[in-house]
């Protein structure tokens, strides 16, 4: 069986879905490598990719765009062509994986995977991650902690699991922070049902 390289990915966009709206930036970093049953963490700041993209439509949601802190006028003038950026991103993934199977990791996966998969297919014709090589960090925590998915929020994670790096809403910063979270979770032994019952209570917190 081939080894897998886990790529932490974070996306910033100017709306809820790709097509009508645009991905304005994305960051990727190598989080680690899985060989058989063994996970090997890597320095998440060592191998990275970052791009700010030219919008693909005139529509946008101001509140969504504001999260990234990026200027739409600047992006229209200076943002990378999506086809060029996604082609370069695909080449980078294959280079850093060096024969391993690439696996996209995100928190939550549903959002970042949706944007990356759509953009890869739309602008390059295929995704280096195939149609399903991905891992949801949120679900990974829920399974290891033995909690409902609604309780799988960063605020409710044990201190030893959380990333020490800040969440800034810069796509590369957040991909690096996310990589640290994934690494901690891959090495975390998890919780027992008994511990969960005594440690977790109350309403779910926002992601």
């Amino acid at each position: 069986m081939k080894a897998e390289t886990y790529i932490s990915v974070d996306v910033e966009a100017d709306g809820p879905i790709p097509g009508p709206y645009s991905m304005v930036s994305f960051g990727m970093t190598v989080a680690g490598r899985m060989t058989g049953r063994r996970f090997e963490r890597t320095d998440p700041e060592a191998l990275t990719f970052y791009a700010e993209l030219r919008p693909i439509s005139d529509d946008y949601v101001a509140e969504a765009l504001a999260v990234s802190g990026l200027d739409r006028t600047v992006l229209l003038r200076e943002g990378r062509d999506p086809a060029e950026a996604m082609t370069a991103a695909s080449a980078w993934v294959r280079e850093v994986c060096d024969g391993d199977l690439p696996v996209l990791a995100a928190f939550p996966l549903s959002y970042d995977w949706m944007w990356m998969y759509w953009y890869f297919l739309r602008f390059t014709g295929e995704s280096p991650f195939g149609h399903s090589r991905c891992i949801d960090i949120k679900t990974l925590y829920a399974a290891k902690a033995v909690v409902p998915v609604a309780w799988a929020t960063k605020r409710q994670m044990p201190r030893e699991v959380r990333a020490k790096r800040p969440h800034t809403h810069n796509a590369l910063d957040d991909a690096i922070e996310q990589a640290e979270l994934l690494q901690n979770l891959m090495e975390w032994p998890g919780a027992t049902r008994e511990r969960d019952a005594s440690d977790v209570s109350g309403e779910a917190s926002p992601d």
Side-chain angles (χ1 to χ4, degrees), residues 3-4 10 22 25 29 31 43 46 53 55 57 105 121 140 145 183-184 200:
E4 296 177 339
D10 185 77
S22 308
S25 67
T29 183
D43 178 0
L53 308 180
S57 80
L121 262 64
L140 176 63
Q183 293 168 346
N184 294 343
V200 179

Side-chain angles (χ1 to χ4, degrees), residues 121-139:
L121 262 64
R122 173 66 179 81
F123 294 106
T124 73
E126 62 179 349
S127 168
F129 302 100
H131 69 277
S132 62
R133 282 198 306 275
C134 52
I135 183 168
D136 181 22
I137 301 172
K138 188 179 183 74
T139 302

